[in-house]
Amino acid sequence: GYLDDQFVELEDLQDDSNPNFVEEIVSLFYSDSARLILNIDQALGDRPTDFDKLDVYMHQFKGRCSSIGAKRVKAECAQFTEHCSAGNIEGCVRSFQQVKQEYATLRRKLETYFQLLKQAELGDGA
């Protein structure tokens, strides 16, 4: 329930000529995401709050989540943008904690997934 069909489509693009394609895409997602999370964290501390800037950062982050099919993180991003639109800083802060929590859970699950894939490949004699 953490990933949608986009992740399956990425897996379908992976083949013998590029056996680490999905893992590379996810690594790029992590590096982009880390920068955006830091930007959002900093912008949440700015006074007065620049909701437009927060909204732009979150839309970028949500787009990155969509690119790998991070369904639950993306749903939390949508909540955040609703709070931004309403000018609700407390809602943004609470929602961002949820975004980071879902992101951390997804990261752990994907790391486990890639470890299991590598073990399976080793078991196949690959």
Side-chain angles (χ1 to χ4, degrees):
Y2 283 88
L3 296 163
D4 62 23
D5 293 342
Q6 180 62 31
F7 190 79
V8 175
E9 289 179 28
L10 288 175
E11 288 180 315
D12 289 346
L13 294 173
Q14 183 166 291
D15 58 21
D16 292 339
S17 67
N18 197 352
N20 299 320
F21 177 73
V22 176
E23 196 168 1
E24 290 168 11
I25 295 295
V26 169
S27 290
L28 286 171
F29 165 72
Y30 288 149
S31 58
D32 276 357
S33 297
R35 178 182 51 80
L36 287 167
I37 286 171
L38 185 64
N39 288 347
I40 294 165
D41 237 343
Q42 289 172 343
L44 280 171
D46 290 348
R47 293 295 176 265
T49 304
D50 186 342
F51 289 104
D52 290 335
K53 186 195 306 186
L54 282 169
D55 195 52
V56 167
Y57 287 150
M58 189 53 77
H59 274 290
Q60 290 173 352
F61 183 65
K62 186 178 174 189
R64 302 300 189 285
C65 292
S66 295
S67 73
I68 68 157
K71 181 169 68 174
R72 288 174 67 162
V73 182
K74 198 169 67 173
E76 290 300 333
C77 292
Q79 287 292 115
F80 182 96
T81 56
E82 285 179 26
H83 292 302
C84 267
S85 296
N88 179 351
I89 186 63
E90 292 84 10
C92 286
V93 170
R94 274 194 318 276
S95 189
F96 189 52
Q97 292 308 315
Q98 284 298 116
V99 166
K100 290 193 293 188
Q101 189 175 336
E102 289 294 344
Y103 173 80
T105 301
L106 176 67
R107 188 169 185 147
R108 282 193 306 275
K109 289 185 177 295
L110 283 173
E111 286 169 358
T112 301
Y113 169 77
F114 289 123
Q115 286 171 353
L116 291 172
L117 273 183
K118 284 188 172 116
Q119 288 171 2
E121 288 169 7
L122 293 174
D124 290 342

